[in-house]
Amino acid sequence: MNPSSPIPCAGVYDIVVAGGGMAGVGAACAAARQGARVLLVERLETLGGLGAAGGVGNFCFGDDSLPHGHGKVFDDIWEALRFYGAIGEEYGWRAHRQPPFFNHTFDHNMLPIALQEIAERDGVELLFATDVICVEREGPTVSSAVLHNRSLCRKVEAQIFVDCSGDGILARHAGAEELPPDPEHPQSIPPSHMIFLQKSARPRLQPARPPAAGLLPPKYSVWPEPERIGLKMWWPDGDFDTSTGKGFSDAARAFRRRIPEFVRHFQSTPQGRDFVFACSAPMFGLRDSVRIAGDYVLTEEDLRAGRRFEDAVAHGCFPLDSAALSKDPMPPYQIPYRSLIVRGLENILIAGRCFSATRVALSSARIMPTCCLMGQAAGVAAALACKKRIQLRAMPASAIRERLLGDSGGDPVLRERLEP
């Protein structure tokens, strides 16, 4: 396209959501349920993000409250997975309850099917294989997002935009401020990568090339699943800056290069002798990227104190989760609405991995149930602001909480966790 040519408009919406992971689905569905016309833009060809294409089939939390307390959209996701036999111990999907980690595994291959069913039922318009490449602004207000896909450049207009991209792509195009690294945690939270093995009647040892000099032996956690085993590859000493394009690419290449070595190592254990390599997740396990500055920055001190906020709209209690941190239990803490509002901009909300938090706080709050609830809060706020024709900052957090609780049928866990 000639840069001087006007960009065709592909649609006008109440709300455009960027990113189709758990936060994005939560935001889009919650907004659509309030009657808003919603477009969900996803750069992959499937919903679910790391929970699907990343192979991370595990809902985790810091206590045994799951599946309760995370809003109606998350409840519907859980029930859809149960319908397909893709979660629940009765179907062979283990629940691991060992404080401070409480994990419920699920079939990551079924998650995108469940998410798409729910989104389409709610009337969310889905646009796959599409990147946000820039925005058009009028002062502090974004008027449109410019998209690129097989139709080349098209723009979509909306009253409110919700950035759930995980990397703050839309907000950064709009000029949002990026939060700096934490002084006590200057490096990115180490990434991971999922690979899968299956039982074989004719197992053979995986050929592998010698590792490069100086590399530590393979380190991984073992995730048993029905009919297969997942290995979550770790590289705790890898100095990868996954907030940059090159750093992310280098990390993905480094992990993929070592897959045969990790498979061979697992096969040498008694548990792995009958297994052979099946596949690796197509999406790399990014755990930390760019965090966007909001009106409030959630901190490690907030988490450790179990701080409650007048404008609370989400909650968490997962341990601080980085190789550089101790896995201390966290008390239930709250996430304020101000951490979802982009500093200096009028009509963008952020939810999920790019929300306004320090890197240490993010290491706890980035888990899928918490991100889904953050997304629902952002979606409700956006839809109510459109309906009432008020600015996002004028939206009372009490109205967001009331709607979240009403949609959940008054879930007592959600009510207790969101009380200011």
Side-chain angles (χ1 to χ4, degrees), residues 31 110-111 145 193 207 212 217 227 260 272 313 347 358 376 388:
M110 289 304 304
L111 180 63
H193 188 62
E227 311 301 330
V313 293
N347 65 331
T358 64
Q376 290 174 76
K388 297 176 182 291

Side-chain angles (χ1 to χ4, degrees), residues 36-360:
R37 186 183 181 201
V38 182
L39 174 68
L40 176 56
V41 179
E42 168 53 43
R43 67 180 183 86
L44 301 178
E45 298 174 31
T46 183
L47 298 176
L50 284 173
V56 186
N58 182 32
F59 292 139
C60 51
F61 205 55
D63 64 18
D64 204 12
S65 61
L66 288 181
H68 306 291
H70 289 82
K72 177 59 174 169
V73 176
F74 187 79
D75 292 345
D76 290 347
I77 294 168
W78 191 285
E79 287 307 311
L81 290 172
R82 286 183 62 86
F83 174 81
Y84 287 113
I87 198 169
E89 292 177 284
E90 66 271 33
Y91 299 111
W93 298 95
R94 67 187 176 98
H96 180 73
R97 300 177 175 92
Q98 184 174 341
F101 297 99
F102 295 81
N103 301 301
H104 293 262
T105 61
F106 60 86
D107 187 350
H108 70 271
N109 292 306
M110 289 304 304
L111 180 63
I113 296 172
L115 296 181
Q116 184 172 318
E117 281 185 353
I118 293 167
E120 290 178 341
R121 183 186 67 201
D122 289 339
V124 175
E125 294 187 41
L126 300 172
L127 187 59
F128 290 124
T130 299
D131 289 303
V132 176
I133 60 169
C134 67
V135 303
E136 295 179 331
R137 268 181 54 178
E138 298 173 3
T141 301
V142 173
S143 58
S144 67
V146 179
L147 312 177
H148 186 273
N149 56 24
R150 285 162 177 79
S151 297
L152 300 183
C153 291
R154 297 290 186 272
K155 68 180 180 181
V156 289
E157 299 175 355
Q159 295 184 53
I160 295 174
F161 297 84
V162 185
D163 190 338
C164 301
S165 65
D167 301 300
I169 296 295
L170 191 151
R172 289 158 65 195
H173 277 305
E177 176 187 349
E178 299 176 21
L179 290 172
D182 298 7
E184 67 273 31
H185 199 313
Q187 293 181 323
S188 297
I189 300 171
S192 62
H193 188 62
M194 290 298 301
I195 58 178
F196 297 91
L197 298 90
Q198 62 188 19
K199 268 200 168 181
S200 173
R202 301 177 61 186
R204 74 183 186 103
L205 202 60
Q206 174 66 48
R209 303 189 187 281
L215 290 179
L216 293 177
K219 183 177 182 180
Y220 50 83
S221 54
V222 180
W223 294 21
E225 298 184 354
E227 311 301 330
R228 67 185 179 200
I229 279 182
L231 301 183
K232 193 171 194 177
M233 302 170 61
W234 298 102
W235 201 323
D237 61 333
D239 185 12
F240 303 113
D241 182 2
T242 50
S243 67
T244 70
K246 186 177 187 308
F248 176 87
S249 177
D250 288 347
R253 290 191 303 113
F255 271 79
R256 192 159 285 111
R257 190 184 304 125
R258 296 191 73 182
I259 288 174
E261 176 193 355
F262 275 63
V263 172
R264 186 182 180 96
H265 187 279
F266 178 69
Q267 288 176 324
S268 68
T269 69
Q271 186 181 7
R273 63 181 58 173
D274 295 329
F275 285 83
V276 296
F277 176 61
C279 64
S280 70
M283 186 177 181
F284 176 56
L286 180 65
R287 293 151 60 86
D288 176 17
S289 179
V290 175
R291 293 159 292 111
I292 300 299
D295 286 359
Y296 184 85
V297 181
L298 192 71
T299 68
E300 176 186 359
E301 291 72 26
D302 293 331
L303 272 60
R304 291 191 180 279
R307 186 170 176 189
R308 304 181 87 85
F309 297 90
E310 285 295 325
D311 62 337
V313 293
H315 64 85
C317 68
F318 194 65
L320 304 179
D321 190 18
S322 169
L325 304 166
S326 62
K327 305 292 193 294
D328 299 330
M330 285 295 110
Y333 59 84
Q334 294 182 335
I335 297 171
Y337 178 48
R338 287 166 293 159
S339 290
L340 309 185
I341 299 176
V342 178
R343 185 186 302 170
L345 296 171
E346 295 295 336
N347 65 331
I348 301 182
L349 293 170
I350 41 177
R353 199 177 62 232
C354 63
F355 90 109
S356 183
T358 64
R359 177 168 282 158
V360 173

